[in-house]
Amino acid sequence: MNNYLKVAFTVVVLAFILSACDSREENRRENVLEQKADRMEEKADMTRKSGEAAADRIEKRDPGLTDSPSTDRAAEATRESTERSADQMEEQADRIREKK
């Protein structure tokens, strides 16, 4: 009976140890997913920066001495649109990370 308990305990411990180890393929898959998510976040950052730059260009093209309401609306619409796009990219990056 004592030998049976030792064997059973050893099997349980080995099963636990082996299940805690990630295989090389698993590590590689997780690294690929992480890199893909990082690229998506970088793309979101670039989208935000380009949207802000586009909105700034719209504001600078205002023909009047003071900001006209139509110029302000156009610049704000550009900012909101690019912000929504960037947010969607970041959400996609989060979903990619959740696959790990």
Side-chain angles (χ1 to χ4, degrees):
M1 181 74 171
N2 196 14
N3 285 337
Y4 174 73
L5 290 175
K6 287 180 184 178
V7 171
F9 180 73
T10 303
V11 168
V12 169
V13 169
L14 286 175
F16 179 73
I17 290 171
L18 291 176
S19 68
C21 297
D22 286 341
S23 68
R24 288 183 196 163
E25 290 178 19
E26 179 71 15
N27 287 336
R28 189 172 26 247
R29 185 184 74 78
E30 288 180 1
N31 287 338
V32 167
L33 290 173
E34 186 66 31
Q35 290 171 357
K36 187 175 180 180
D38 288 344
R39 283 192 305 272
M40 188 62 65
E41 287 179 341
E42 289 170 5
K43 188 175 178 181
D45 290 341
M46 289 188 300
T47 299
R48 278 193 181 89
K49 288 177 185 175
S50 67
E52 187 61 35
D56 290 345
R57 285 191 302 275
I58 290 170
E59 290 172 337
K60 287 179 184 176
R61 284 187 287 174
D62 187 24
L65 297 175
T66 60
D67 291 337
S68 67
S70 62
T71 301
D72 290 341
R73 284 192 302 271
E76 188 59 29
T78 300
R79 285 185 180 98
E80 288 174 1
S81 174
T82 55
E83 186 65 29
R84 273 193 307 273
S85 295
D87 288 344
Q88 289 172 349
M89 289 177 208
E90 287 182 341
E91 288 170 7
Q92 186 175 1
D94 290 341
R95 286 192 298 274
I96 290 169
R97 282 197 174 90
E98 288 172 2
K99 292 179 182 179
K100 293 192 315 182

